Amino acid sequence: MLYQRSSQLFVEAEKVIPGGVNSPVRAFKAVGGTPIFIKSAKGAYLTDEDGNRYIDYINSWGPMILGHAYEPVVKAIIDRTQLGTSFGTPTALETEIAALAISMVPNIDKIRFVNSGTEACMSAIRLARGFTKKDKIIKFAGCYHGHSDSFLIQAGSGASTFGTPNSPGVTSGTAKDTLLACYNDLNNVSELIAANPNEIAAIIVEPVPGNMGCIVPKAGFLHGLRKLCTENNILLIFDEVMTGFRLAKGGVQELYNIQADIVTFGKVIGGGLPVGAFAARAEIMNHLAPLGPVYQAGTLSGNPLAMAAGYAMLKAINEDAGLFQRLEEKTAYLENGIREALTEANLDHTINRVGSMISVHFDAEQVTDFQSAAKGDNARFKQFFHGLLQEGIYIAPSAYETWFITDALTYEDLDATIAAVRKVAASL
Ligand code: KE4
């Protein structure tokens, strides 16, 4: 693969955009090399500015579950554009997509649309604090809920249960209200609750994490969180920005038959346009302005174009009875093929998968939380990433990400991917 044009574009971009990108992970810092600039995409394929074609396993970090430039979404955006792009008023379409989302996802009565997953999670935390009148939250090391201050927190030093900022600009005042727990460790969560009696408003969790690679919830872990929250008057927030409308029509609540108190969405719900959302039973959502005292707002929230794209996407998912089974079968096929190829090459590895979320870790040990995810052989991952890129396979440029499978992938694509893994593995 030649990347001449991408390299030139990156030099230009770095002059006017910090790091040349509008989101850090795109800069390839975790894997080295120069990011490729994509010119177009269709179905399961990306084409870069040098004319190279790739089978895409990022799919815009999740939204393109039905493939790039999915016709019904494209048509919905074009048709809607003719009617004007934004009014700053209520529109009938917002009610239609809200009603559709509520019909697809269990345990939610009302939904508020925003413009990103970050905004959805940030707003969900404020709502939980306003509803419970308590200040602290528990999050899990390795789980990512966007870049608002309450979430950019790392484990406190030593035995301290309080977090400390993991980014300049986040104040210690903010950090003291965020407690860090270890995913898949219920005892740790119990200890934090006991150490902060009647102070915790919410536990926010990626129910199936995708930001430390894909992590499989241990049996009983999520239901254990539900029980602890119920017993301690804590709201359970499922951050389903990644899992929503991907692991099941109703997300993880449906997949594992568990009830969250607030659910956040992003990615798929916008069909590739900027949409986030948060939802809950009416008793909680009615605390939001203008009905209640918890303030939250947005100029482009519920934007007609974004709603049109999201509605077309959710409608297609809602009407495709075989979609999740196909995604399950395709991803299982890929998992088996990758496992065979890496085993043939005698490479220490473990593969985590839930539905169409899958990740490859170069470590013989099981990866069940952030600490074990961090033990992976990062140097080997870098070689694996670039080797696949050279073979026309585009996976996430970080060992701490999940591959996102699109239904647009054919079994020929999957076989080509497995063959590329076999070829690259042999060279590692
Ligand atoms: P956005 O603000 O990026 O739309 O959503 C934040 C977010 C919230 N919750 C979860 C579980 C998420 O995975 C994300 C964003 N995911 C990353 C990829 N792991 C987005 C990629 C990026 O930052 O560019």
Side-chain angles (χ1 to χ4, degrees):
M1 296 283 189
L2 291 173
Y3 305 117
Q4 202 167 0
R5 183 80 183 109
S6 278
S7 303
Q8 288 163 350
L9 288 168
F10 191 47
V11 168
E12 292 307 308
E14 286 187 294
K15 292 174 186 166
V16 290
I17 301 171
V21 291
N22 284 307
S23 199
V25 73
R26 302 176 192 169
F28 276 21
K29 290 295 180 207
V31 292
T34 300
I36 53 170
F37 282 59
I38 298 302
K39 184 169 190 171
S40 66
K42 180 66 180 167
Y45 313 115
L46 300 170
T47 302
D48 73 12
E49 290 281 356
D50 292 280
N52 303 310
R53 194 188 85 150
Y54 306 87
I55 300 176
D56 186 10
Y57 285 96
I58 299 184
N59 286 291
S60 178
W61 302 94
M64 304 305 165
I65 193 168
L66 300 180
H68 288 285
Y70 180 66
E71 285 303 328
V73 171
V74 171
K75 183 177 182 320
I77 294 169
I78 291 170
D79 291 352
R80 193 76 206 188
T81 304
Q82 319 292 357
L83 303 175
T85 57
S86 184
F87 318 123
T89 69
T91 60
L93 185 52
E94 291 162 84
T95 307
E96 288 171 38
I97 187 174
L100 178 55
I102 289 164
S103 75
M104 294 169 74
V105 177
N107 310 312
I108 61 173
D109 299 327
K110 293 189 176 180
I111 187 167
R112 171 65 61 87
F113 288 96
V114 293
N115 302 280
S116 70
T118 293
E119 211 183 334
C121 294
M122 173 184 78
S123 307
I125 290 297
R126 184 180 311 134
L127 177 59
R129 285 171 164 154
F131 181 76
T132 64
K133 300 182 176 47
K134 296 188 278 183
D135 292 345
K136 288 183 179 156
I137 62 168
I138 291 177
K139 78 172 288 289
F140 293 87
C143 283
Y144 178 69
H145 307 293
H147 63 90
S148 75
D149 287 4
S150 293
F151 304 130
L152 297 183
I153 307 297
Q154 59 199 352
S157 56
S160 84
T161 55
F162 298 149
T164 61
N166 76 356
S167 165
V170 176
T171 67
S172 53
T174 298
K176 70 174 176 45
D177 285 333
T178 299
L179 308 175
L180 263 291
C182 177
Y183 186 83
N184 271 328
D185 183 344
L186 272 181
N187 289 334
N188 181 218
V189 179
S190 299
E191 288 160 3
L192 284 174
I193 292 172
N196 298 272
N198 297 317
E199 292 187 78
I200 298 169
I203 293 177
I204 185 167
V205 65
E206 289 182 61
V208 174
N211 288 287
M212 1 181 186
C214 175
I215 304 288
V216 182
K218 285 179 179 169
F221 175 66
L222 293 175
H223 284 88
L225 287 183
R226 175 65 272 165
K227 185 166 180 289
L228 284 169
C229 286
T230 303
E231 289 167 351
N232 293 280
N233 182 30
I234 294 171
L235 293 188
L236 179 58
I237 301 175
F238 270 9
D239 173 353
E240 296 224 46
V241 167
M242 202 181 270
T243 58
F245 309 107
R246 171 167 283 282
L247 295 187
K249 186 189 293 190
V252 172
Q253 290 191 104
E254 174 189 322
L255 187 68
Y256 292 133
N257 186 25
I258 184 168
Q259 179 169 350
D261 295 304
I262 302 177
V263 194
T264 63
F265 301 102
K267 299 180 191 283
V268 171
I269 200 172
L273 266 63
V275 179
F278 57 109
R281 60 185 184 274
E283 177 198 13
I284 295 175
M285 293 301 280
N286 290 345
H287 271 65
L288 278 174
L291 262 184
V294 178
Y295 195 70
Q296 180 276 326
T299 302
L300 293 172
S301 295
N303 170 269
L305 288 200
M307 294 292 95
Y311 184 82
M313 174 67 89
L314 295 191
K315 184 172 182 293
I317 291 171
N318 194 40
E319 294 171 357
D320 186 342
L323 172 64
F324 295 101
Q325 185 56 32
R326 292 198 304 273
L327 287 168
E328 170 64 28
E329 288 166 0
K330 289 179 180 179
T331 317
Y333 184 88
L334 180 67
E335 175 188 3
N336 294 333
I338 293 175
R339 177 170 293 109
E340 251 176 49
L342 296 181
T343 304
E344 275 169 26
N346 294 314
L347 293 173
D348 283 345
H349 70 281
T350 186
I351 298 174
N352 287 355
R353 182 176 75 84
V354 177
S356 64
M357 290 170 60
I358 180 172
S359 57
V360 177
H361 303 262
F362 289 103
D363 184 355
E365 301 299 313
Q366 282 304 306
V367 175
T368 58
D369 56 22
F370 184 60
Q371 199 177 5
S372 48
K375 289 180 183 161
D377 182 340
N378 222 14
R380 176 154 288 173
F381 179 84
K382 288 183 187 178
Q383 294 173 305
F384 183 65
F385 170 82
H386 283 290
L388 287 181
L389 199 64
Q390 285 294 325
E391 296 299 319
I393 309 297
Y394 192 90
I395 67 171
S398 161
Y400 292 101
E401 297 289 353
T402 297
W403 301 25
F404 295 95
I405 305 303
T406 172
D407 189 42
L409 283 165
T410 64
Y411 280 88
E412 290 72 29
D413 296 326
L414 296 170
D415 286 336
T417 305
I418 293 163
V421 169
R422 181 169 279 108
K423 179 177 177 185
V424 172
S427 70
L428 295 184

